[in-house]
Amino acid sequence: MTDPRPDAPYTTPHTTPYADRAAVHEQRLDGFGTVRILPLDPAADATVIHGWVSEGRAAFWGMNGLTRQQVADVYAHMDTLDTHHAFLVVKDGEPVALFQTYDPEADRVSECYATEPGDIGVHLLLAPAGSGGARPGWTAALSGALMAYVLLGLDRTRIVVDPDVDNVKAIARFLKQGFTAGPAVVLPEVDLPDVYLPEKEAQLAFLRREVAFAG
C-alpha cells in the first residue's frame, strides 16, 4: 500500500463539513499537519469510502463489487456494535484513511491466538495516492497519530493486526512500524444473518505500547 494523498474526487464534500464534526482524537504533527479521527458516518461518508474500497488495490479489504448502499449498510450495522468501531481519518480537512478498531475477544481472531487484557485490533485502509504520488514518511506520520489514539487515548497495551498473508505491502509496513510478526493463521468463516466473512489466511502481528512509545 503506497503513501496516499487524496485525489480530487475525494475532497471534502460540501454536505459533510469535517471541521464541524467532533473528533475522538486530534493531533498536530510538526511538518505534517493536523490529523483528526472522526467517527464514521455511514450515510454521509459512503461515497468516499465506496470509492476507496472499490479499487483493485483494496481487494484485501473484501468489499470489491459492493454498491455504495451496501457499503453504507455494512458500516451502519457496525455502528450498532459496542465492540467494533469505524472512523474516517482526515488530514488538514481532507479524508485520507478508513480506520477500524475492534475488541479481539469479540472477533474471530480470538480463535487464533492467546488474547491478553488490553489488546485491541485495528484495520487501516489508506486513501489512494494523488497525482503527486507517494511521499516518504507520510504513512509513518499518519500511523503515529493513530497509534497515539489507540494506545494512549484508549489506554490499550497491545495492538493486533491480521492482514491477508498475500498482502505483502501491508505486512512490510507494519513490521517497519515496530510490529512483531506472530503466526500465520486461518481466520474461520463467519456466517451470520447480519454479516458474512469468508475464511481468511492471515499474518498476525503485534505492537506493544512500550515499543511504540519507548522512552
PDB file of all heavy atoms in Angstrom, residues 116-120 122 143-160 177-180 205-215:
ATOM      1  N   GLU A 116      -4.791 -11.069  25.329  1.00  0.00           N
ATOM      2  CA  GLU A 116      -4.351 -10.534  26.608  1.00  0.00           C
ATOM      3  C   GLU A 116      -5.241  -9.352  26.986  1.00  0.00           C
ATOM      4  O   GLU A 116      -5.754  -8.653  26.105  1.00  0.00           O
ATOM      5  CB  GLU A 116      -2.898 -10.045  26.534  1.00  0.00           C
ATOM      6  CG  GLU A 116      -1.871 -11.112  26.247  1.00  0.00           C
ATOM      7  CD  GLU A 116      -0.465 -10.535  26.183  1.00  0.00           C
ATOM      8  OE1 GLU A 116      -0.310  -9.305  26.420  1.00  0.00           O
ATOM      9  OE2 GLU A 116       0.475 -11.297  25.896  1.00  0.00           O
ATOM     10  N   PRO A 117      -5.430  -9.086  28.274  1.00  0.00           N
ATOM     11  CA  PRO A 117      -6.133  -7.862  28.668  1.00  0.00           C
ATOM     12  C   PRO A 117      -5.401  -6.650  28.086  1.00  0.00           C
ATOM     13  O   PRO A 117      -4.167  -6.586  28.113  1.00  0.00           O
ATOM     14  CB  PRO A 117      -6.039  -7.883  30.197  1.00  0.00           C
ATOM     15  CG  PRO A 117      -5.854  -9.326  30.548  1.00  0.00           C
ATOM     16  CD  PRO A 117      -5.034  -9.909  29.441  1.00  0.00           C
ATOM     17  N   GLY A 118      -6.146  -5.731  27.535  1.00  0.00           N
ATOM     18  CA  GLY A 118      -5.538  -4.543  26.940  1.00  0.00           C
ATOM     19  C   GLY A 118      -5.286  -4.667  25.453  1.00  0.00           C
ATOM     20  O   GLY A 118      -4.814  -3.713  24.820  1.00  0.00           O
ATOM     21  N   ASP A 119      -5.616  -5.815  24.851  1.00  0.00           N
ATOM     22  CA  ASP A 119      -5.464  -5.973  23.407  1.00  0.00           C
ATOM     23  C   ASP A 119      -6.531  -5.179  22.663  1.00  0.00           C
ATOM     24  O   ASP A 119      -7.667  -5.032  23.134  1.00  0.00           O
ATOM     25  CB  ASP A 119      -5.600  -7.444  23.002  1.00  0.00           C
ATOM     26  CG  ASP A 119      -4.330  -8.249  23.218  1.00  0.00           C
ATOM     27  OD1 ASP A 119      -3.329  -7.668  23.685  1.00  0.00           O
ATOM     28  OD2 ASP A 119      -4.342  -9.455  22.912  1.00  0.00           O
ATOM     29  N   ILE A 120      -6.164  -4.692  21.486  1.00  0.00           N
ATOM     30  CA  ILE A 120      -7.128  -4.057  20.589  1.00  0.00           C
ATOM     31  C   ILE A 120      -6.705  -4.363  19.165  1.00  0.00           C
ATOM     32  O   ILE A 120      -5.518  -4.347  18.832  1.00  0.00           O
ATOM     33  CB  ILE A 120      -7.220  -2.529  20.816  1.00  0.00           C
ATOM     34  CG1 ILE A 120      -8.360  -1.933  19.971  1.00  0.00           C
ATOM     35  CG2 ILE A 120      -5.890  -1.838  20.538  1.00  0.00           C
ATOM     36  CD1 ILE A 120      -8.703  -0.490  20.328  1.00  0.00           C
ATOM     37  N   VAL A 122      -6.904  -3.581  15.007  1.00  0.00           N
ATOM     38  CA  VAL A 122      -7.118  -2.447  14.107  1.00  0.00           C
ATOM     39  C   VAL A 122      -7.025  -2.890  12.657  1.00  0.00           C
ATOM     40  O   VAL A 122      -6.344  -3.861  12.322  1.00  0.00           O
ATOM     41  CB  VAL A 122      -6.101  -1.297  14.353  1.00  0.00           C
ATOM     42  CG1 VAL A 122      -6.102  -0.865  15.802  1.00  0.00           C
ATOM     43  CG2 VAL A 122      -4.705  -1.679  13.905  1.00  0.00           C
ATOM     44  N   SER A 143       0.289   7.080  10.835  1.00  0.00           N
ATOM     45  CA  SER A 143       0.150   5.944  11.744  1.00  0.00           C
ATOM     46  C   SER A 143       0.509   6.323  13.178  1.00  0.00           C
ATOM     47  O   SER A 143      -0.058   5.785  14.131  1.00  0.00           O
ATOM     48  CB  SER A 143       1.022   4.786  11.272  1.00  0.00           C
ATOM     49  OG  SER A 143       0.593   4.321  10.003  1.00  0.00           O
ATOM     50  N   GLY A 144       1.456   7.246  13.336  1.00  0.00           N
ATOM     51  CA  GLY A 144       1.823   7.686  14.670  1.00  0.00           C
ATOM     52  C   GLY A 144       0.648   8.294  15.407  1.00  0.00           C
ATOM     53  O   GLY A 144       0.461   8.055  16.614  1.00  0.00           O
ATOM     54  N   ALA A 145      -0.165   9.076  14.700  1.00  0.00           N
ATOM     55  CA  ALA A 145      -1.346   9.671  15.319  1.00  0.00           C
ATOM     56  C   ALA A 145      -2.384   8.604  15.665  1.00  0.00           C
ATOM     57  O   ALA A 145      -3.032   8.666  16.715  1.00  0.00           O
ATOM     58  CB  ALA A 145      -1.944  10.722  14.391  1.00  0.00           C
ATOM     59  N   LEU A 146      -2.532   7.621  14.781  1.00  0.00           N
ATOM     60  CA  LEU A 146      -3.498   6.554  15.034  1.00  0.00           C
ATOM     61  C   LEU A 146      -3.069   5.708  16.236  1.00  0.00           C
ATOM     62  O   LEU A 146      -3.895   5.332  17.071  1.00  0.00           O
ATOM     63  CB  LEU A 146      -3.640   5.672  13.793  1.00  0.00           C
ATOM     64  CG  LEU A 146      -4.095   6.388  12.517  1.00  0.00           C
ATOM     65  CD1 LEU A 146      -4.188   5.390  11.359  1.00  0.00           C
ATOM     66  CD2 LEU A 146      -5.430   7.087  12.725  1.00  0.00           C
ATOM     67  N   MET A 147      -1.788   5.422  16.335  1.00  0.00           N
ATOM     68  CA  MET A 147      -1.284   4.656  17.482  1.00  0.00           C
ATOM     69  C   MET A 147      -1.446   5.436  18.778  1.00  0.00           C
ATOM     70  O   MET A 147      -1.739   4.865  19.832  1.00  0.00           O
ATOM     71  CB  MET A 147       0.183   4.297  17.261  1.00  0.00           C
ATOM     72  CG  MET A 147       0.427   3.296  16.157  1.00  0.00           C
ATOM     73  SD  MET A 147       2.198   3.001  15.914  1.00  0.00           S
ATOM     74  CE  MET A 147       2.172   2.084  14.367  1.00  0.00           C
ATOM     75  N   ALA A 148      -1.240   6.749  18.712  1.00  0.00           N
ATOM     76  CA  ALA A 148      -1.413   7.570  19.906  1.00  0.00           C
ATOM     77  C   ALA A 148      -2.851   7.494  20.401  1.00  0.00           C
ATOM     78  O   ALA A 148      -3.109   7.395  21.613  1.00  0.00           O
ATOM     79  CB  ALA A 148      -1.026   9.017  19.612  1.00  0.00           C
ATOM     80  N   TYR A 149      -3.795   7.521  19.468  1.00  0.00           N
ATOM     81  CA  TYR A 149      -5.205   7.419  19.845  1.00  0.00           C
ATOM     82  C   TYR A 149      -5.498   6.070  20.495  1.00  0.00           C
ATOM     83  O   TYR A 149      -6.111   5.996  21.574  1.00  0.00           O
ATOM     84  CB  TYR A 149      -6.098   7.616  18.630  1.00  0.00           C
ATOM     85  CG  TYR A 149      -7.530   7.217  18.871  1.00  0.00           C
ATOM     86  CD1 TYR A 149      -8.296   7.845  19.853  1.00  0.00           C
ATOM     87  CD2 TYR A 149      -8.119   6.180  18.134  1.00  0.00           C
ATOM     88  CE1 TYR A 149      -9.612   7.464  20.093  1.00  0.00           C
ATOM     89  CE2 TYR A 149      -9.436   5.803  18.367  1.00  0.00           C
ATOM     90  CZ  TYR A 149     -10.179   6.440  19.345  1.00  0.00           C
ATOM     91  OH  TYR A 149     -11.475   6.053  19.593  1.00  0.00           O
ATOM     92  N   VAL A 150      -5.051   4.999  19.848  1.00  0.00           N
ATOM     93  CA  VAL A 150      -5.392   3.659  20.317  1.00  0.00           C
ATOM     94  C   VAL A 150      -4.668   3.295  21.611  1.00  0.00           C
ATOM     95  O   VAL A 150      -5.285   2.835  22.580  1.00  0.00           O
ATOM     96  CB  VAL A 150      -5.065   2.620  19.220  1.00  0.00           C
ATOM     97  CG1 VAL A 150      -5.191   1.207  19.763  1.00  0.00           C
ATOM     98  CG2 VAL A 150      -5.996   2.801  18.030  1.00  0.00           C
ATOM     99  N   LEU A 151      -3.365   3.493  21.644  1.00  0.00           N
ATOM    100  CA  LEU A 151      -2.573   3.023  22.787  1.00  0.00           C
ATOM    101  C   LEU A 151      -2.586   3.981  23.974  1.00  0.00           C
ATOM    102  O   LEU A 151      -2.547   3.544  25.130  1.00  0.00           O
ATOM    103  CB  LEU A 151      -1.132   2.768  22.345  1.00  0.00           C
ATOM    104  CG  LEU A 151      -0.950   1.615  21.353  1.00  0.00           C
ATOM    105  CD1 LEU A 151       0.481   1.571  20.843  1.00  0.00           C
ATOM    106  CD2 LEU A 151      -1.338   0.274  21.979  1.00  0.00           C
ATOM    107  N   LEU A 152      -2.650   5.280  23.688  1.00  0.00           N
ATOM    108  CA  LEU A 152      -2.654   6.264  24.766  1.00  0.00           C
ATOM    109  C   LEU A 152      -4.069   6.759  25.066  1.00  0.00           C
ATOM    110  O   LEU A 152      -4.511   6.736  26.213  1.00  0.00           O
ATOM    111  CB  LEU A 152      -1.736   7.433  24.409  1.00  0.00           C
ATOM    112  CG  LEU A 152      -0.278   7.069  24.106  1.00  0.00           C
ATOM    113  CD1 LEU A 152       0.519   8.325  23.755  1.00  0.00           C
ATOM    114  CD2 LEU A 152       0.357   6.332  25.284  1.00  0.00           C
ATOM    115  N   GLY A 153      -4.769   7.196  24.025  1.00  0.00           N
ATOM    116  CA  GLY A 153      -6.114   7.723  24.229  1.00  0.00           C
ATOM    117  C   GLY A 153      -7.090   6.694  24.760  1.00  0.00           C
ATOM    118  O   GLY A 153      -7.916   6.987  25.639  1.00  0.00           O
ATOM    119  N   LEU A 154      -7.008   5.465  24.235  1.00  0.00           N
ATOM    120  CA  LEU A 154      -7.896   4.390  24.683  1.00  0.00           C
ATOM    121  C   LEU A 154      -7.260   3.532  25.771  1.00  0.00           C
ATOM    122  O   LEU A 154      -7.878   2.575  26.253  1.00  0.00           O
ATOM    123  CB  LEU A 154      -8.289   3.502  23.498  1.00  0.00           C
ATOM    124  CG  LEU A 154      -9.090   4.184  22.380  1.00  0.00           C
ATOM    125  CD1 LEU A 154      -9.424   3.173  21.281  1.00  0.00           C
ATOM    126  CD2 LEU A 154     -10.365   4.829  22.921  1.00  0.00           C
ATOM    127  N   ASP A 155      -6.021   3.854  26.140  1.00  0.00           N
ATOM    128  CA  ASP A 155      -5.302   3.159  27.205  1.00  0.00           C
ATOM    129  C   ASP A 155      -5.236   1.651  26.956  1.00  0.00           C
ATOM    130  O   ASP A 155      -5.484   0.836  27.844  1.00  0.00           O
ATOM    131  CB  ASP A 155      -5.963   3.429  28.559  1.00  0.00           C
ATOM    132  CG  ASP A 155      -5.081   2.994  29.731  1.00  0.00           C
ATOM    133  OD1 ASP A 155      -3.846   2.964  29.556  1.00  0.00           O
ATOM    134  OD2 ASP A 155      -5.632   2.672  30.811  1.00  0.00           O
ATOM    135  N   ARG A 156      -4.864   1.283  25.730  1.00  0.00           N
ATOM    136  CA  ARG A 156      -4.654  -0.126  25.396  1.00  0.00           C
ATOM    137  C   ARG A 156      -3.160  -0.425  25.423  1.00  0.00           C
ATOM    138  O   ARG A 156      -2.323   0.467  25.240  1.00  0.00           O
ATOM    139  CB  ARG A 156      -5.240  -0.454  24.031  1.00  0.00           C
ATOM    140  CG  ARG A 156      -6.748  -0.261  23.932  1.00  0.00           C
ATOM    141  CD  ARG A 156      -7.507  -1.099  24.968  1.00  0.00           C
ATOM    142  NE  ARG A 156      -8.939  -0.997  24.805  1.00  0.00           N
ATOM    143  CZ  ARG A 156      -9.696  -1.971  24.288  1.00  0.00           C
ATOM    144  NH1 ARG A 156      -9.134  -3.113  23.907  1.00  0.00           N
ATOM    145  NH2 ARG A 156     -10.992  -1.799  24.158  1.00  0.00           N
ATOM    146  N   THR A 157      -2.834  -1.691  25.659  1.00  0.00           N
ATOM    147  CA  THR A 157      -1.425  -2.047  25.835  1.00  0.00           C
ATOM    148  C   THR A 157      -0.827  -2.800  24.655  1.00  0.00           C
ATOM    149  O   THR A 157       0.397  -2.907  24.557  1.00  0.00           O
ATOM    150  CB  THR A 157      -1.243  -2.907  27.102  1.00  0.00           C
ATOM    151  OG1 THR A 157      -2.111  -4.050  27.026  1.00  0.00           O
ATOM    152  CG2 THR A 157      -1.574  -2.088  28.339  1.00  0.00           C
ATOM    153  N   ARG A 158      -1.673  -3.329  23.764  1.00  0.00           N
ATOM    154  CA  ARG A 158      -1.135  -4.058  22.619  1.00  0.00           C
ATOM    155  C   ARG A 158      -2.099  -3.995  21.450  1.00  0.00           C
ATOM    156  O   ARG A 158      -3.313  -4.192  21.614  1.00  0.00           O
ATOM    157  CB  ARG A 158      -0.851  -5.516  22.986  1.00  0.00           C
ATOM    158  CG  ARG A 158      -0.142  -6.298  21.902  1.00  0.00           C
ATOM    159  CD  ARG A 158       0.314  -7.687  22.361  1.00  0.00           C
ATOM    160  NE  ARG A 158      -0.794  -8.584  22.627  1.00  0.00           N
ATOM    161  CZ  ARG A 158      -0.684  -9.919  22.645  1.00  0.00           C
ATOM    162  NH1 ARG A 158       0.502 -10.487  22.434  1.00  0.00           N
ATOM    163  NH2 ARG A 158      -1.728 -10.677  22.914  1.00  0.00           N
ATOM    164  N   ILE A 159      -1.564  -3.713  20.271  1.00  0.00           N
ATOM    165  CA  ILE A 159      -2.339  -3.722  19.033  1.00  0.00           C
ATOM    166  C   ILE A 159      -2.088  -5.037  18.317  1.00  0.00           C
ATOM    167  O   ILE A 159      -0.954  -5.520  18.237  1.00  0.00           O
ATOM    168  CB  ILE A 159      -1.923  -2.562  18.105  1.00  0.00           C
ATOM    169  CG1 ILE A 159      -2.250  -1.212  18.747  1.00  0.00           C
ATOM    170  CG2 ILE A 159      -2.610  -2.679  16.755  1.00  0.00           C
ATOM    171  CD1 ILE A 159      -1.732  -0.025  17.945  1.00  0.00           C
ATOM    172  N   VAL A 160      -3.155  -5.628  17.775  1.00  0.00           N
ATOM    173  CA  VAL A 160      -3.036  -6.806  16.923  1.00  0.00           C
ATOM    174  C   VAL A 160      -3.586  -6.469  15.545  1.00  0.00           C
ATOM    175  O   VAL A 160      -4.615  -5.791  15.432  1.00  0.00           O
ATOM    176  CB  VAL A 160      -3.778  -8.031  17.515  1.00  0.00           C
ATOM    177  CG1 VAL A 160      -5.245  -7.726  17.766  1.00  0.00           C
ATOM    178  CG2 VAL A 160      -3.637  -9.242  16.589  1.00  0.00           C
ATOM    179  N   GLN A 177       6.989  -0.414  11.166  1.00  0.00           N
ATOM    180  CA  GLN A 177       6.498   0.462  12.223  1.00  0.00           C
ATOM    181  C   GLN A 177       6.746  -0.106  13.617  1.00  0.00           C
ATOM    182  O   GLN A 177       6.331   0.502  14.604  1.00  0.00           O
ATOM    183  CB  GLN A 177       4.998   0.718  12.018  1.00  0.00           C
ATOM    184  CG  GLN A 177       4.696   1.544  10.779  1.00  0.00           C
ATOM    185  CD  GLN A 177       3.213   1.552  10.433  1.00  0.00           C
ATOM    186  OE1 GLN A 177       2.412   0.870  11.078  1.00  0.00           O
ATOM    187  NE2 GLN A 177       2.849   2.309   9.414  1.00  0.00           N
ATOM    188  N   GLY A 178       7.415  -1.248  13.712  1.00  0.00           N
ATOM    189  CA  GLY A 178       7.742  -1.805  15.011  1.00  0.00           C
ATOM    190  C   GLY A 178       6.935  -3.005  15.444  1.00  0.00           C
ATOM    191  O   GLY A 178       7.158  -3.547  16.537  1.00  0.00           O
ATOM    192  N   PHE A 179       5.973  -3.434  14.624  1.00  0.00           N
ATOM    193  CA  PHE A 179       5.203  -4.625  14.954  1.00  0.00           C
ATOM    194  C   PHE A 179       6.106  -5.853  14.924  1.00  0.00           C
ATOM    195  O   PHE A 179       7.078  -5.921  14.162  1.00  0.00           O
ATOM    196  CB  PHE A 179       4.056  -4.825  13.953  1.00  0.00           C
ATOM    197  CG  PHE A 179       2.866  -3.933  14.174  1.00  0.00           C
ATOM    198  CD1 PHE A 179       2.902  -2.598  13.808  1.00  0.00           C
ATOM    199  CD2 PHE A 179       1.707  -4.435  14.733  1.00  0.00           C
ATOM    200  CE1 PHE A 179       1.798  -1.776  13.999  1.00  0.00           C
ATOM    201  CE2 PHE A 179       0.597  -3.628  14.924  1.00  0.00           C
ATOM    202  CZ  PHE A 179       0.647  -2.289  14.564  1.00  0.00           C
ATOM    203  N   THR A 180       5.762  -6.839  15.742  1.00  0.00           N
ATOM    204  CA  THR A 180       6.444  -8.129  15.755  1.00  0.00           C
ATOM    205  C   THR A 180       5.550  -9.158  15.084  1.00  0.00           C
ATOM    206  O   THR A 180       4.368  -9.284  15.446  1.00  0.00           O
ATOM    207  CB  THR A 180       6.754  -8.576  17.189  1.00  0.00           C
ATOM    208  OG1 THR A 180       7.614  -7.619  17.815  1.00  0.00           O
ATOM    209  CG2 THR A 180       7.423  -9.942  17.198  1.00  0.00           C
ATOM    210  N   ALA A 205       0.318  -9.859  13.596  1.00  0.00           N
ATOM    211  CA  ALA A 205       1.458  -9.064  14.047  1.00  0.00           C
ATOM    212  C   ALA A 205       0.999  -8.229  15.236  1.00  0.00           C
ATOM    213  O   ALA A 205      -0.187  -7.877  15.348  1.00  0.00           O
ATOM    214  CB  ALA A 205       1.996  -8.175  12.929  1.00  0.00           C
ATOM    215  N   PHE A 206       1.942  -7.893  16.119  1.00  0.00           N
ATOM    216  CA  PHE A 206       1.600  -7.253  17.390  1.00  0.00           C
ATOM    217  C   PHE A 206       2.531  -6.065  17.665  1.00  0.00           C
ATOM    218  O   PHE A 206       3.716  -6.098  17.330  1.00  0.00           O
ATOM    219  CB  PHE A 206       1.712  -8.260  18.535  1.00  0.00           C
ATOM    220  CG  PHE A 206       0.885  -9.495  18.345  1.00  0.00           C
ATOM    221  CD1 PHE A 206       1.416 -10.615  17.704  1.00  0.00           C
ATOM    222  CD2 PHE A 206      -0.423  -9.542  18.787  1.00  0.00           C
ATOM    223  CE1 PHE A 206       0.652 -11.752  17.517  1.00  0.00           C
ATOM    224  CE2 PHE A 206      -1.198 -10.684  18.601  1.00  0.00           C
ATOM    225  CZ  PHE A 206      -0.657 -11.796  17.965  1.00  0.00           C
ATOM    226  N   LEU A 207       1.969  -5.060  18.300  1.00  0.00           N
ATOM    227  CA  LEU A 207       2.750  -3.899  18.717  1.00  0.00           C
ATOM    228  C   LEU A 207       2.384  -3.528  20.130  1.00  0.00           C
ATOM    229  O   LEU A 207       1.231  -3.189  20.425  1.00  0.00           O
ATOM    230  CB  LEU A 207       2.496  -2.699  17.786  1.00  0.00           C
ATOM    231  CG  LEU A 207       3.245  -1.420  18.158  1.00  0.00           C
ATOM    232  CD1 LEU A 207       4.749  -1.598  17.947  1.00  0.00           C
ATOM    233  CD2 LEU A 207       2.728  -0.230  17.340  1.00  0.00           C
ATOM    234  N   ARG A 208       3.354  -3.585  21.028  1.00  0.00           N
ATOM    235  CA  ARG A 208       3.117  -3.230  22.424  1.00  0.00           C
ATOM    236  C   ARG A 208       3.344  -1.732  22.639  1.00  0.00           C
ATOM    237  O   ARG A 208       4.145  -1.117  21.950  1.00  0.00           O
ATOM    238  CB  ARG A 208       4.022  -4.048  23.352  1.00  0.00           C
ATOM    239  CG  ARG A 208       3.695  -5.526  23.353  1.00  0.00           C
ATOM    240  CD  ARG A 208       4.425  -6.279  24.446  1.00  0.00           C
ATOM    241  NE  ARG A 208       4.047  -7.690  24.465  1.00  0.00           N
ATOM    242  CZ  ARG A 208       2.963  -8.170  25.061  1.00  0.00           C
ATOM    243  NH1 ARG A 208       2.157  -7.350  25.718  1.00  0.00           N
ATOM    244  NH2 ARG A 208       2.690  -9.460  25.031  1.00  0.00           N
ATOM    245  N   ARG A 209       2.631  -1.201  23.604  1.00  0.00           N
ATOM    246  CA  ARG A 209       2.688   0.235  23.873  1.00  0.00           C
ATOM    247  C   ARG A 209       4.105   0.682  24.237  1.00  0.00           C
ATOM    248  O   ARG A 209       4.555   1.744  23.778  1.00  0.00           O
ATOM    249  CB  ARG A 209       1.726   0.602  24.995  1.00  0.00           C
ATOM    250  CG  ARG A 209       1.660   2.083  25.303  1.00  0.00           C
ATOM    251  CD  ARG A 209       0.453   2.421  26.157  1.00  0.00           C
ATOM    252  NE  ARG A 209       0.486   1.738  27.439  1.00  0.00           N
ATOM    253  CZ  ARG A 209      -0.555   1.677  28.287  1.00  0.00           C
ATOM    254  NH1 ARG A 209      -1.695   2.233  27.941  1.00  0.00           N
ATOM    255  NH2 ARG A 209      -0.456   1.054  29.445  1.00  0.00           N
ATOM    256  N   GLU A 210       4.829  -0.128  25.002  1.00  0.00           N
ATOM    257  CA  GLU A 210       6.162   0.267  25.410  1.00  0.00           C
ATOM    258  C   GLU A 210       7.154   0.283  24.238  1.00  0.00           C
ATOM    259  O   GLU A 210       8.198   0.947  24.302  1.00  0.00           O
ATOM    260  CB  GLU A 210       6.683  -0.646  26.528  1.00  0.00           C
ATOM    261  CG  GLU A 210       6.798  -2.112  26.157  1.00  0.00           C
ATOM    262  CD  GLU A 210       5.564  -2.914  26.525  1.00  0.00           C
ATOM    263  OE1 GLU A 210       4.453  -2.325  26.596  1.00  0.00           O
ATOM    264  OE2 GLU A 210       5.713  -4.126  26.757  1.00  0.00           O
ATOM    265  N   VAL A 211       6.811  -0.435  23.175  1.00  0.00           N
ATOM    266  CA  VAL A 211       7.644  -0.411  21.973  1.00  0.00           C
ATOM    267  C   VAL A 211       7.296   0.806  21.128  1.00  0.00           C
ATOM    268  O   VAL A 211       8.179   1.530  20.641  1.00  0.00           O
ATOM    269  CB  VAL A 211       7.469  -1.700  21.158  1.00  0.00           C
ATOM    270  CG1 VAL A 211       8.209  -1.602  19.820  1.00  0.00           C
ATOM    271  CG2 VAL A 211       7.965  -2.905  21.947  1.00  0.00           C
ATOM    272  N   ALA A 212       5.996   1.058  20.951  1.00  0.00           N
ATOM    273  CA  ALA A 212       5.560   2.186  20.132  1.00  0.00           C
ATOM    274  C   ALA A 212       5.966   3.520  20.730  1.00  0.00           C
ATOM    275  O   ALA A 212       6.291   4.473  20.007  1.00  0.00           O
ATOM    276  CB  ALA A 212       4.052   2.146  19.946  1.00  0.00           C
ATOM    277  N   PHE A 213       5.973   3.593  22.066  1.00  0.00           N
ATOM    278  CA  PHE A 213       6.283   4.849  22.743  1.00  0.00           C
ATOM    279  C   PHE A 213       7.430   4.659  23.721  1.00  0.00           C
ATOM    280  O   PHE A 213       7.335   5.051  24.892  1.00  0.00           O
ATOM    281  CB  PHE A 213       5.035   5.396  23.435  1.00  0.00           C
ATOM    282  CG  PHE A 213       3.925   5.731  22.479  1.00  0.00           C
ATOM    283  CD1 PHE A 213       2.876   4.840  22.270  1.00  0.00           C
ATOM    284  CD2 PHE A 213       3.948   6.900  21.735  1.00  0.00           C
ATOM    285  CE1 PHE A 213       1.872   5.131  21.376  1.00  0.00           C
ATOM    286  CE2 PHE A 213       2.945   7.202  20.835  1.00  0.00           C
ATOM    287  CZ  PHE A 213       1.898   6.313  20.649  1.00  0.00           C
ATOM    288  N   ALA A 214       8.477   4.023  23.248  1.00  0.00           N
ATOM    289  CA  ALA A 214       9.648   3.779  24.093  1.00  0.00           C
ATOM    290  C   ALA A 214      10.249   5.103  24.558  1.00  0.00           C
ATOM    291  O   ALA A 214      10.440   6.032  23.779  1.00  0.00           O
ATOM    292  CB  ALA A 214      10.699   2.994  23.312  1.00  0.00           C
ATOM    293  N   GLY A 215      10.543   5.176  25.828  1.00  0.00           N
ATOM    294  CA  GLY A 215      11.158   6.390  26.364  1.00  0.00           C
ATOM    295  C   GLY A 215      10.171   7.487  26.570  1.00  0.00           C
ATOM    296  O   GLY A 215      10.553   8.606  26.915  1.00  0.00           O
TER     297      GLY A 215
END
